[in-house]
Amino acid sequence: MNSNLFLVSNMLVAIPAIAACVLAFESEYRRSAIINLCASGATFLFALILLLTEPETGTYLFVDDLNIVFIVLSTFIGFTTSIYSASYIEHEIETGKLGPVNVRFYHAMYQTLMCAMNLALLASNIGLMWVAIEVATLTTVLMVGIYRTPHALEAAWKYFILGSVGIALALFGTILVYMAAEPAIGQGYDAMVWKTLMEQAPQFNPRMLNVAFVFLILGYGTKVGLAPMHAWLPDAHAEGPTPISAVLSGLLLNVALYAVLRFKMLLTANAAAIAPGPLMITLGLLSLILAAFMLYRRDDIKRLFAYSSIEHMGIIAFAFGMGGPLANFAGLLHMTMHSLTKSAIFFAVGHITQVSGTQKIADIRGLTQSQPILGWGLVAGVMAIVGLPPLGIFMSEFLVVSSTFARQPLLAIPLVFGLLLAFGALLLRLTGMAFGEPTGREAEVKASVIPLYAHLALVLLAGLYLPSHIVAWFQNVARLLG
């Protein structure tokens, strides 16, 4: 690997790892918040350097057009969430919900999570990727239970148990891929390296690959939040700190999706293996429709948007399952827009719950009057997430639907049905929360709204105009995905 590229890719892992070690011993909140922010910002800057490099493979880390998309998006949202986190956690300290030990633990785990996700995205070895995703899972389990309330601990245990089942299935699938590759490549490290696997994939045992992919999509699909393996996600969102909800929806789900896409490429390269698309389409539609119905029954604002994440991960899985240049482009665009929009929504929701002192939707009313900056931010976020023009998700959903109509018109029926169902549910919930007479108590909160409106501005810009170099970049990745 080129020495400069080797340095950059290693810094993407090393910076958050070093920051995590430092933060584990830093007890003063303001200093730890600044260190967390600076480390996240430095990681994002190094990620931007990857845009100027040529794809290259090393022994343990590699860079190509596909993982650059995920890394830049991941580090950007990690950076903006660290800005938002500073004011959010400060309020939690002032109200006594978190103590010095909890805060020190929170910041150390935040950077550990960033390190693990970057490592998973950069790993050139399928075993190393699995380990990194497992570390990211365990880190978020600990952060979900940080409040130490009975409900938080229950949510953390539920996440741990379901996540462990999922990661065990993914491990078994990874072992089967190694076994399928062994006759063609031989034993040892090379049989687990992405570049070698892709080159030799046509020679692999197709039956072994078929079984492996079933385990892999069920295992990593648990982390993506695809139904019916989604049960951990609403509880984790509801009980954990809101910055972690933003990271879960905006980043961790994408990292697991990245693993699924890598293995999908492997199967596509083997002509004798099953087409992975139909399974992804089925799980995607199931997630979309189930989540859309569940949106009508939620009474907790964070659970509401957790189900919205399940809905949109279903749309993304559906798009990548359809495959082809247009559907893959739409899937990439939708993943990017969803990550930016959903994290922005959670930025608003976090401060709204602090202001109102509750997560109950029925007790949150008239936000545009009582808290206009947060209220209108939430309105804009929901308008974006339901796919109204001219915001970016409208464009990505339009491309998904139009490509489906062109290739599989019958599949467009449940797709559009799920989209309309979710559209109605979210607008119904938003109307009561944003408008009308304010109710309930209001606390004084120093809200950090810059990340919220920065994300929404990017989503609006993407809906109005996508720069030609970004379009070309996404088109190249779409072709790579097959």
Side-chain angles (χ1 to χ4, degrees):
M1 181 180 279
N2 176 282
S3 58
N4 291 333
L5 188 56
F6 177 79
L7 174 63
V8 172
S9 57
N10 275 272
M11 291 302 286
L12 287 168
V13 177
I15 290 174
I18 294 169
C21 295
V22 172
L23 288 166
F25 297 98
E26 178 54 67
S27 57
E28 205 281 316
Y29 166 70
R30 293 191 181 277
R31 282 198 300 267
S32 61
I34 291 171
I35 294 170
N36 189 50
L37 191 155
C38 290
S40 300
T43 307
F44 173 56
L45 290 176
F46 274 100
L48 291 178
I49 297 174
L50 293 180
L51 295 173
L52 309 175
T53 62
E54 292 293 326
E56 198 165 346
T57 302
T59 305
Y60 296 102
L61 303 179
F62 85 120
V63 174
D64 69 355
D65 288 336
L66 175 59
N67 65 8
I68 290 176
V69 173
F70 284 83
I71 291 164
V72 171
L73 180 63
S74 177
T75 54
F76 173 72
I77 295 177
F79 173 53
T80 55
T81 303
S82 70
I83 298 173
Y84 165 78
S85 177
S87 59
Y88 179 90
I89 296 297
E90 183 177 15
H91 182 269
E92 299 296 272
I93 295 170
E94 291 173 353
T95 55
K97 292 184 178 180
L98 293 176
V101 174
N102 300 123
V103 174
R104 186 169 61 184
F105 176 81
Y106 168 85
H107 283 130
M109 289 296 100
Y110 187 93
Q111 288 301 318
T112 302
L113 176 61
M114 295 298 114
C115 174
M117 289 192 296
N118 289 346
L119 179 59
L121 295 172
L122 288 166
S124 67
N125 180 293
I126 59 176
L128 182 60
M129 182 184 70
W130 179 88
V131 170
I133 294 177
E134 171 70 349
V135 172
T137 301
L138 293 175
T139 302
T140 46
V141 166
L142 294 172
M143 296 176 84
V144 165
I146 198 169
Y147 288 118
R148 298 295 187 270
T149 64
H151 289 301
L153 294 175
E154 180 183 348
W157 272 109
K158 186 175 183 179
Y159 181 15
F160 175 73
I161 292 168
L162 294 178
S164 296
V165 171
I167 208 70
L169 292 173
L171 175 61
F172 191 58
T174 303
I175 294 170
L176 288 176
V177 169
Y178 176 83
M179 293 174 65
E182 186 182 351
I185 301 174
Q187 296 181 350
Y189 184 83
D190 284 346
M192 301 185 77
V193 174
W194 281 118
K195 183 179 180 181
T196 309
L197 290 171
M198 287 299 299
E199 289 172 351
Q200 300 297 324
Q203 303 176 42
F204 293 172
N205 183 329
R207 293 182 179 178
M208 194 79 75
L209 276 182
N210 294 344
V211 177
F213 187 73
V214 173
F215 281 101
L216 289 163
I217 197 168
L218 290 176
Y220 287 123
T222 302
K223 297 290 186 298
V224 177
L226 297 177
M229 302 85 69
H230 67 283
W232 64 272
L233 187 58
D235 289 340
H237 276 298
E239 303 302 333
T242 305
I244 301 310
S245 297
V247 170
L248 277 173
S249 279
L251 304 183
L252 189 58
L253 304 186
N254 291 348
V255 173
L257 175 68
Y258 167 82
V260 172
L261 293 179
R262 284 290 181 194
F263 286 108
K264 176 181 179 288
M265 292 167 62
L266 202 61
L267 256 74
T268 304
N270 188 305
I274 60 170
L279 183 55
M280 295 183 68
I281 288 170
T282 302
L283 292 176
L285 285 177
L286 177 62
S287 302
L288 166 61
I289 295 172
L290 174 66
F293 275 112
M294 295 297 285
L295 288 172
Y296 286 91
R297 303 290 296 172
R298 299 310 96 196
D299 59 358
D300 182 296
I301 188 171
K302 293 176 73 175
R303 288 181 187 273
L304 177 74
F305 290 112
Y307 275 101
S308 174
S309 292
I310 295 169
E311 172 215 344
H312 283 276
M313 295 312 293
I315 297 169
I316 295 165
F318 175 89
F320 286 125
M322 287 293 295
L326 181 58
N328 285 335
F329 181 92
L332 283 170
L333 182 61
H334 196 80
M335 179 196 73
T336 305
M337 294 299 101
H338 171 256
S339 295
L340 291 170
T341 306
K342 189 54 62 62
S343 51
I345 287 173
F346 277 113
F347 293 160
V349 165
H351 286 315
I352 286 167
T353 57
Q354 289 180 333
V355 166
S356 59
T358 181
Q359 293 180 193
K360 295 294 182 182
I361 293 174
D363 296 332
I364 302 173
R365 288 289 182 270
L367 288 171
T368 53
Q369 291 186 42
S370 60
Q371 298 288 332
I373 295 177
L374 293 174
W376 285 112
L378 180 63
V379 170
V382 173
M383 293 297 101
I385 208 67
V386 298
L388 288 180
L391 297 150
I393 286 183
F394 168 77
M395 180 57 67
S396 61
E397 287 185 350
F398 176 80
L399 291 175
V400 173
V401 172
S402 59
S403 65
T404 306
F405 265 117
R407 295 172 55 192
Q408 298 287 341
L410 290 179
L411 288 178
I413 297 172
L415 175 65
V416 173
F417 172 74
L419 291 174
L420 292 176
L421 199 63
F423 177 91
L426 287 174
L427 288 189
L428 179 67
R429 294 298 188 185
L430 175 68
T431 302
M433 290 188 289
F435 307 107
E437 279 299 314
T439 59
R441 73 174 184 84
E442 291 184 17
E444 184 68 30
V445 174
K446 298 175 183 177
S448 176
V449 296
I450 294 175
L452 163 63
Y453 283 97
H455 283 210
L456 293 176
L458 288 173
V459 173
L460 175 61
L461 180 62
L464 296 172
Y465 171 72
L466 270 180
S468 58
H469 62 277
I470 293 181
V471 173
W473 178 24
F474 277 29
Q475 286 176 334
N476 185 48
V477 176
R479 286 191 293 269
L480 186 67
L481 289 169

